[in-house]
Amino acid sequence: MTPSAVATTTPSRAPRRTQAERTALSDARMFDAAMELIVEHGTHNTTLKEIGERAGYSRSLASNRFGSKEALFDQMVLDFNNKWAGELRRFVGERTGLSAFMAALEAVEHFLLNRTIEMQALYILWFESISSHTAVRARLAANHLAYRRDAERWLKQGIEEGTIRPSIDPTCFAVEFNAFIFGLVYQWLVSPTSVDLHSVFYHYRRSTLETLAERRV
């Protein structure tokens, strides 16, 4: 009697990535590498050669893919904007008015606390773009405008819904809101250990509600 044959199975191979998928993966790795290097050395001391090597590719890949450091940074900001837009939608959902405004504030805090390296790198890039990186500066100006318009829209909705005081100036408050975010992040970048982001956001939410919320008699 012969021993029964042992069934063997050949491990199935994962499907090969398409060219588009491989490009997206290498771009993501280079963006991650660029963000690490920016946090470590700043934008001016970060090179395309270092980005390619840190990402695990050849030193020439980043240069061949993007052509210039400016172009890579611009695409990195665009990628970040898409991620932020998705996160904002997740937090705000169908909310309007005061509820939407407060949800957006929670989204900012969540992004800062859970995507720390990414946020540090992007804000360093944005702040340094004031003196250089013209494409990034132009994209940042467009971001600022979009952020103010979102906040202004929510504030106007809240006034119409009766949840925000009619004495509030939506345009001015939207500027103040963005000044709080960018000013807070600036202080955090300069001295991360001296700024407790969670405590500051908690206090700001409370004070913002006291300022905005319409009091019911």
Side-chain angles (χ1 to χ4, degrees), residues 1 8 23 31 35 58 102 118 175:
M1 186 174 178
T8 59
T23 299
F31 293 160
M35 287 185 283
S58 69
M102 301 306 293
E118 189 170 0
V175 173

Side-chain angles (χ1 to χ4, degrees), residues 179-199:
F180 162 73
I181 299 299
F182 279 82
L184 172 62
V185 173
Y186 187 82
Q187 296 177 71
W188 174 61
L189 288 175
V190 172
S191 182
T193 59
S194 66
V195 178
D196 185 337
L197 289 176
H198 181 70
S199 295

